């Protein structure tokens, strides 16, 4: 198993990890504009509609772009983006689980809490993507619980590099804790996990293309809400 993977989002809190040593991580994954936070990132992941002009123009040796051609199949291995949650923090998390097999996923700047005034992103004011009207984002805490539990099945911990308000249910992590990450206790109820996965399969909301918004499936918000509650209830605190 590899070292932890650091996943960078665009919230102002991401600036706190600018000086965290790269040696503590096997890889750094930058979402959308977060490649500007530090130069030593390894993967830039963004949706197909992310403007090319806002992305990195010149890749350094070892740096790679991750597009839907890579992250959709990776997310499909965990049930698909509709169940995972259609925002890039979760998409990047599942892709990293599939592609990098980390011992931990450390999320910075991905708390999905947006103040009504002032700076919402490290670069100023941006669009609060996870708060848009989307059937997969009705319960962000539950979607984070689902990711946490899928990671636990791979003996991988999910943590967040922040101590303030967050929509992620992950434990907080400080820089001083980095050397002890390998000893993080991971708790997972395998039987309960399998039961909820079976419920997902029975609903048959899997969309191989990842374009769930264009699917003709009759998707029930109430049934997705019930799944969300099940994932939240399965988290061991």
């Amino acid at each position: 198993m590899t070292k932890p993977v650091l996943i960078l989002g665009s919230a102002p809190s991401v600036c706190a990890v600018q000086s965290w040593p790269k040696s503590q991580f096997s890889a750094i994954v930058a979402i959308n504009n977060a490649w500007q936070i530090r130069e030593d990132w390894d993967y830039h992941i963004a949706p197909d509609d992310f403007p090319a002009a806002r992305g990195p123009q010149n890749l350094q040796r070892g740096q790679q772009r991750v597009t839907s051609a890579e992250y959709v199949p990776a997310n499909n291995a965990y049930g698909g983006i509709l169940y995972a949650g259609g925002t890039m923090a979760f998409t990047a998390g599942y892709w990293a689980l599939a592609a990098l097999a980390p011992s931990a996923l450390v999320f910075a700047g991905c708390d999905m809490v947006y103040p009504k005034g002032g700076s919402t992103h490290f670069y100023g004011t941006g669009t609060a993507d996870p708060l848009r009207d989307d059937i997969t984002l009705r319960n962000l805490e539950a979607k984070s619980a689902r990711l946490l539990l899928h990671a636990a099945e791979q003996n991988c911990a999910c943590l967040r590099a922040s101590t303030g308000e967050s929509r992620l249910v992950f434990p907080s992590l400080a820089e001083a804790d980095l050397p002890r990450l390998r000893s993080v206790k991971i708790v997972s109820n395998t039987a309960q996990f399998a039961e909820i996965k079976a419920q997902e399969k029975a609903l048959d909301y899997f969309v191989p293309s990842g374009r769930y918004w264009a699917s003709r499936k009759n998707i029930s918000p109430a049934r997705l809400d019930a799944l969300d509650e099940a994932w939240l209830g399965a988290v061991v605190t």
Side-chain angles (χ1 to χ4, degrees), residues 1-5 22-27 100-104 182:
M1 183 173 290
T2 65
K3 292 180 181 179
V5 167
K22 174 71 177 289
S23 60
Q24 295 289 348
F25 301 98
S26 61
L100 306 178
S103 59
R182 290 180 180 273

Side-chain angles (χ1 to χ4, degrees), residues 16 35 40 71 81 84 88 93 118-119 125 191 197 235:
W35 61 274
D40 57 351
Y71 66 67
I81 291 176
M88 289 307 296
S119 178
T125 301
K197 287 292 291 180
V235 174

